[in-house]
Amino acid sequence: MFDSSDYPRPLDEMLFNTWLEEGRLSKISYQYLLIVWDEFESSYSPVYTEDRDSISQYEPYDNSTGRESLVAVYDLFSESRIYIGQ
């Protein structure tokens, strides 16, 4: 996943599927999986949230100047990518 010049590096699809499953199995009723890029660690990490309002705390990857930036958002249950307008 994210295997293009638009992203910092590819994300292993098995790891992504693990993150989806962990979010669905959580006792907290998460709705969304955010894929966040950490510039200092040079790695992706999952962020789970219950509502869309929490998504806005991250800058999009292509406009980010901070340590963490948002690469993508997925609905945990439909597994569909959510496009957030800027």
PDB file of all heavy atoms in Angstrom, residues 41-61:
ATOM      1  N   GLU A  41      10.524   9.134  13.197  1.00  0.00           N
ATOM      2  CA  GLU A  41      10.687   7.681  13.262  1.00  0.00           C
ATOM      3  C   GLU A  41      10.747   7.050  11.865  1.00  0.00           C
ATOM      4  O   GLU A  41      11.098   5.884  11.733  1.00  0.00           O
ATOM      5  CB  GLU A  41       9.538   7.052  14.047  1.00  0.00           C
ATOM      6  CG  GLU A  41       9.462   7.480  15.494  1.00  0.00           C
ATOM      7  CD  GLU A  41      10.611   6.965  16.331  1.00  0.00           C
ATOM      8  OE1 GLU A  41      11.124   5.868  16.045  1.00  0.00           O
ATOM      9  OE2 GLU A  41      10.999   7.671  17.274  1.00  0.00           O
ATOM     10  N   SER A  42      10.348   7.807  10.859  1.00  0.00           N
ATOM     11  CA  SER A  42      10.268   7.307   9.481  1.00  0.00           C
ATOM     12  C   SER A  42       9.433   6.038   9.395  1.00  0.00           C
ATOM     13  O   SER A  42       9.833   5.032   8.805  1.00  0.00           O
ATOM     14  CB  SER A  42      11.660   7.059   8.898  1.00  0.00           C
ATOM     15  OG  SER A  42      12.356   8.267   8.772  1.00  0.00           O
ATOM     16  N   SER A  43       8.251   6.111  10.017  1.00  0.00           N
ATOM     17  CA  SER A  43       7.368   4.949   9.999  1.00  0.00           C
ATOM     18  C   SER A  43       5.905   5.376  10.099  1.00  0.00           C
ATOM     19  O   SER A  43       5.600   6.485  10.533  1.00  0.00           O
ATOM     20  CB  SER A  43       7.701   4.011  11.159  1.00  0.00           C
ATOM     21  OG  SER A  43       7.433   4.645  12.393  1.00  0.00           O
ATOM     22  N   TYR A  44       5.046   4.450   9.672  1.00  0.00           N
ATOM     23  CA  TYR A  44       3.608   4.643   9.802  1.00  0.00           C
ATOM     24  C   TYR A  44       3.160   4.136  11.170  1.00  0.00           C
ATOM     25  O   TYR A  44       3.775   3.233  11.736  1.00  0.00           O
ATOM     26  CB  TYR A  44       2.861   3.843   8.739  1.00  0.00           C
ATOM     27  CG  TYR A  44       3.066   4.332   7.332  1.00  0.00           C
ATOM     28  CD1 TYR A  44       3.856   3.610   6.436  1.00  0.00           C
ATOM     29  CD2 TYR A  44       2.458   5.494   6.878  1.00  0.00           C
ATOM     30  CE1 TYR A  44       4.034   4.043   5.131  1.00  0.00           C
ATOM     31  CE2 TYR A  44       2.633   5.938   5.575  1.00  0.00           C
ATOM     32  CZ  TYR A  44       3.418   5.207   4.711  1.00  0.00           C
ATOM     33  OH  TYR A  44       3.590   5.638   3.429  1.00  0.00           O
ATOM     34  N   SER A  45       2.061   4.708  11.651  1.00  0.00           N
ATOM     35  CA  SER A  45       1.449   4.189  12.868  1.00  0.00           C
ATOM     36  C   SER A  45      -0.064   4.330  12.754  1.00  0.00           C
ATOM     37  O   SER A  45      -0.561   5.213  12.055  1.00  0.00           O
ATOM     38  CB  SER A  45       1.972   4.913  14.106  1.00  0.00           C
ATOM     39  OG  SER A  45       1.657   6.282  14.037  1.00  0.00           O
ATOM     40  N   PRO A  46      -0.790   3.450  13.448  1.00  0.00           N
ATOM     41  CA  PRO A  46      -2.247   3.541  13.427  1.00  0.00           C
ATOM     42  C   PRO A  46      -2.736   4.467  14.534  1.00  0.00           C
ATOM     43  O   PRO A  46      -2.176   4.504  15.626  1.00  0.00           O
ATOM     44  CB  PRO A  46      -2.680   2.111  13.711  1.00  0.00           C
ATOM     45  CG  PRO A  46      -1.611   1.598  14.626  1.00  0.00           C
ATOM     46  CD  PRO A  46      -0.337   2.253  14.151  1.00  0.00           C
ATOM     47  N   VAL A  47      -3.762   5.223  14.225  1.00  0.00           N
ATOM     48  CA  VAL A  47      -4.463   6.029  15.227  1.00  0.00           C
ATOM     49  C   VAL A  47      -5.936   5.708  15.051  1.00  0.00           C
ATOM     50  O   VAL A  47      -6.456   5.773  13.937  1.00  0.00           O
ATOM     51  CB  VAL A  47      -4.207   7.540  15.038  1.00  0.00           C
ATOM     52  CG1 VAL A  47      -5.042   8.355  16.010  1.00  0.00           C
ATOM     53  CG2 VAL A  47      -2.728   7.867  15.192  1.00  0.00           C
ATOM     54  N   TYR A  48      -6.587   5.345  16.139  1.00  0.00           N
ATOM     55  CA  TYR A  48      -8.000   4.987  16.084  1.00  0.00           C
ATOM     56  C   TYR A  48      -8.814   6.128  16.682  1.00  0.00           C
ATOM     57  O   TYR A  48      -8.408   6.750  17.654  1.00  0.00           O
ATOM     58  CB  TYR A  48      -8.260   3.700  16.870  1.00  0.00           C
ATOM     59  CG  TYR A  48      -7.445   2.535  16.354  1.00  0.00           C
ATOM     60  CD1 TYR A  48      -6.283   2.140  17.000  1.00  0.00           C
ATOM     61  CD2 TYR A  48      -7.834   1.851  15.214  1.00  0.00           C
ATOM     62  CE1 TYR A  48      -5.528   1.074  16.526  1.00  0.00           C
ATOM     63  CE2 TYR A  48      -7.093   0.787  14.736  1.00  0.00           C
ATOM     64  CZ  TYR A  48      -5.940   0.410  15.393  1.00  0.00           C
ATOM     65  OH  TYR A  48      -5.199  -0.644  14.915  1.00  0.00           O
ATOM     66  N   THR A  49      -9.978   6.371  16.090  1.00  0.00           N
ATOM     67  CA  THR A  49     -10.841   7.422  16.606  1.00  0.00           C
ATOM     68  C   THR A  49     -12.300   7.018  16.467  1.00  0.00           C
ATOM     69  O   THR A  49     -12.654   6.208  15.602  1.00  0.00           O
ATOM     70  CB  THR A  49     -10.562   8.766  15.896  1.00  0.00           C
ATOM     71  OG1 THR A  49     -11.343   9.784  16.494  1.00  0.00           O
ATOM     72  CG2 THR A  49     -10.860   8.689  14.419  1.00  0.00           C
ATOM     73  N   GLU A  50     -13.106   7.604  17.314  1.00  0.00           N
ATOM     74  CA  GLU A  50     -14.530   7.295  17.324  1.00  0.00           C
ATOM     75  C   GLU A  50     -15.332   8.231  16.430  1.00  0.00           C
ATOM     76  O   GLU A  50     -16.451   7.907  16.045  1.00  0.00           O
ATOM     77  CB  GLU A  50     -15.072   7.398  18.751  1.00  0.00           C
ATOM     78  CG  GLU A  50     -14.407   6.435  19.706  1.00  0.00           C
ATOM     79  CD  GLU A  50     -14.787   6.712  21.139  1.00  0.00           C
ATOM     80  OE1 GLU A  50     -15.949   6.435  21.493  1.00  0.00           O
ATOM     81  OE2 GLU A  50     -13.923   7.197  21.883  1.00  0.00           O
ATOM     82  N   ASP A  51     -14.782   9.397  16.128  1.00  0.00           N
ATOM     83  CA  ASP A  51     -15.546  10.368  15.347  1.00  0.00           C
ATOM     84  C   ASP A  51     -14.657  11.112  14.353  1.00  0.00           C
ATOM     85  O   ASP A  51     -13.443  11.158  14.488  1.00  0.00           O
ATOM     86  CB  ASP A  51     -16.253  11.372  16.267  1.00  0.00           C
ATOM     87  CG  ASP A  51     -15.273  12.097  17.168  1.00  0.00           C
ATOM     88  OD1 ASP A  51     -14.424  12.835  16.650  1.00  0.00           O
ATOM     89  OD2 ASP A  51     -15.367  11.921  18.393  1.00  0.00           O
ATOM     90  N   ARG A  52     -15.298  11.712  13.390  1.00  0.00           N
ATOM     91  CA  ARG A  52     -14.580  12.418  12.322  1.00  0.00           C
ATOM     92  C   ARG A  52     -13.925  13.700  12.802  1.00  0.00           C
ATOM     93  O   ARG A  52     -12.952  14.159  12.209  1.00  0.00           O
ATOM     94  CB  ARG A  52     -15.531  12.732  11.171  1.00  0.00           C
ATOM     95  CG  ARG A  52     -15.853  11.522  10.331  1.00  0.00           C
ATOM     96  CD  ARG A  52     -16.712  11.914   9.176  1.00  0.00           C
ATOM     97  NE  ARG A  52     -15.896  12.026   7.988  1.00  0.00           N
ATOM     98  CZ  ARG A  52     -16.242  11.578   6.805  1.00  0.00           C
ATOM     99  NH1 ARG A  52     -17.393  10.985   6.645  1.00  0.00           N
ATOM    100  NH2 ARG A  52     -15.453  11.716   5.778  1.00  0.00           N
ATOM    101  N   ASP A  53     -14.454  14.292  13.867  1.00  0.00           N
ATOM    102  CA  ASP A  53     -13.886  15.544  14.359  1.00  0.00           C
ATOM    103  C   ASP A  53     -12.428  15.383  14.782  1.00  0.00           C
ATOM    104  O   ASP A  53     -11.636  16.317  14.659  1.00  0.00           O
ATOM    105  CB  ASP A  53     -14.708  16.082  15.530  1.00  0.00           C
ATOM    106  CG  ASP A  53     -16.109  16.503  15.117  1.00  0.00           C
ATOM    107  OD1 ASP A  53     -16.311  16.825  13.924  1.00  0.00           O
ATOM    108  OD2 ASP A  53     -16.998  16.504  15.985  1.00  0.00           O
ATOM    109  N   SER A  54     -12.066  14.231  15.268  1.00  0.00           N
ATOM    110  CA  SER A  54     -10.691  13.978  15.713  1.00  0.00           C
ATOM    111  C   SER A  54      -9.697  13.964  14.550  1.00  0.00           C
ATOM    112  O   SER A  54      -8.499  14.166  14.761  1.00  0.00           O
ATOM    113  CB  SER A  54     -10.613  12.647  16.436  1.00  0.00           C
ATOM    114  OG  SER A  54     -11.479  12.631  17.530  1.00  0.00           O
ATOM    115  N   ILE A  55     -10.177  13.728  13.367  1.00  0.00           N
ATOM    116  CA  ILE A  55      -9.308  13.642  12.200  1.00  0.00           C
ATOM    117  C   ILE A  55      -8.638  14.977  11.913  1.00  0.00           C
ATOM    118  O   ILE A  55      -7.479  15.032  11.503  1.00  0.00           O
ATOM    119  CB  ILE A  55     -10.095  13.146  10.969  1.00  0.00           C
ATOM    120  CG1 ILE A  55     -10.629  11.737  11.243  1.00  0.00           C
ATOM    121  CG2 ILE A  55      -9.256  13.179   9.708  1.00  0.00           C
ATOM    122  CD1 ILE A  55     -11.643  11.251  10.235  1.00  0.00           C
ATOM    123  N   SER A  56      -9.324  16.051  12.190  1.00  0.00           N
ATOM    124  CA  SER A  56      -8.820  17.382  11.842  1.00  0.00           C
ATOM    125  C   SER A  56      -7.604  17.818  12.658  1.00  0.00           C
ATOM    126  O   SER A  56      -6.969  18.813  12.332  1.00  0.00           O
ATOM    127  CB  SER A  56      -9.931  18.417  11.985  1.00  0.00           C
ATOM    128  OG  SER A  56     -10.339  18.495  13.337  1.00  0.00           O
ATOM    129  N   GLN A  57      -7.238  17.081  13.697  1.00  0.00           N
ATOM    130  CA  GLN A  57      -6.061  17.460  14.472  1.00  0.00           C
ATOM    131  C   GLN A  57      -4.750  17.124  13.762  1.00  0.00           C
ATOM    132  O   GLN A  57      -3.688  17.527  14.187  1.00  0.00           O
ATOM    133  CB  GLN A  57      -6.091  16.830  15.857  1.00  0.00           C
ATOM    134  CG  GLN A  57      -5.833  15.358  15.880  1.00  0.00           C
ATOM    135  CD  GLN A  57      -5.919  14.789  17.294  1.00  0.00           C
ATOM    136  OE1 GLN A  57      -6.122  15.508  18.254  1.00  0.00           O
ATOM    137  NE2 GLN A  57      -5.771  13.499  17.401  1.00  0.00           N
ATOM    138  N   TYR A  58      -4.833  16.381  12.658  1.00  0.00           N
ATOM    139  CA  TYR A  58      -3.651  16.014  11.882  1.00  0.00           C
ATOM    140  C   TYR A  58      -3.618  16.786  10.575  1.00  0.00           C
ATOM    141  O   TYR A  58      -4.624  16.913   9.897  1.00  0.00           O
ATOM    142  CB  TYR A  58      -3.647  14.515  11.566  1.00  0.00           C
ATOM    143  CG  TYR A  58      -3.474  13.666  12.788  1.00  0.00           C
ATOM    144  CD1 TYR A  58      -4.578  13.158  13.464  1.00  0.00           C
ATOM    145  CD2 TYR A  58      -2.212  13.370  13.281  1.00  0.00           C
ATOM    146  CE1 TYR A  58      -4.428  12.381  14.595  1.00  0.00           C
ATOM    147  CE2 TYR A  58      -2.051  12.586  14.413  1.00  0.00           C
ATOM    148  CZ  TYR A  58      -3.162  12.108  15.069  1.00  0.00           C
ATOM    149  OH  TYR A  58      -3.011  11.342  16.187  1.00  0.00           O
ATOM    150  N   GLU A  59      -2.437  17.261  10.219  1.00  0.00           N
ATOM    151  CA  GLU A  59      -2.254  17.907   8.922  1.00  0.00           C
ATOM    152  C   GLU A  59      -2.079  16.818   7.865  1.00  0.00           C
ATOM    153  O   GLU A  59      -1.458  15.796   8.134  1.00  0.00           O
ATOM    154  CB  GLU A  59      -0.995  18.769   8.921  1.00  0.00           C
ATOM    155  CG  GLU A  59      -1.072  19.995   9.777  1.00  0.00           C
ATOM    156  CD  GLU A  59       0.194  20.831   9.669  1.00  0.00           C
ATOM    157  OE1 GLU A  59       0.671  21.059   8.540  1.00  0.00           O
ATOM    158  OE2 GLU A  59       0.704  21.220  10.717  1.00  0.00           O
ATOM    159  N   PRO A  60      -2.604  17.055   6.666  1.00  0.00           N
ATOM    160  CA  PRO A  60      -2.401  16.077   5.591  1.00  0.00           C
ATOM    161  C   PRO A  60      -0.912  15.948   5.254  1.00  0.00           C
ATOM    162  O   PRO A  60      -0.157  16.916   5.361  1.00  0.00           O
ATOM    163  CB  PRO A  60      -3.162  16.655   4.405  1.00  0.00           C
ATOM    164  CG  PRO A  60      -3.950  17.784   4.938  1.00  0.00           C
ATOM    165  CD  PRO A  60      -3.402  18.182   6.251  1.00  0.00           C
ATOM    166  N   TYR A  61      -0.506  14.767   4.851  1.00  0.00           N
ATOM    167  CA  TYR A  61       0.898  14.491   4.557  1.00  0.00           C
ATOM    168  C   TYR A  61       1.486  15.476   3.548  1.00  0.00           C
ATOM    169  O   TYR A  61       2.597  15.962   3.735  1.00  0.00           O
ATOM    170  CB  TYR A  61       1.066  13.050   4.052  1.00  0.00           C
ATOM    171  CG  TYR A  61       2.473  12.766   3.613  1.00  0.00           C
ATOM    172  CD1 TYR A  61       3.481  12.633   4.553  1.00  0.00           C
ATOM    173  CD2 TYR A  61       2.801  12.679   2.266  1.00  0.00           C
ATOM    174  CE1 TYR A  61       4.783  12.402   4.160  1.00  0.00           C
ATOM    175  CE2 TYR A  61       4.101  12.448   1.871  1.00  0.00           C
ATOM    176  CZ  TYR A  61       5.092  12.321   2.820  1.00  0.00           C
ATOM    177  OH  TYR A  61       6.385  12.094   2.424  1.00  0.00           O
TER     178      TYR A  61
END
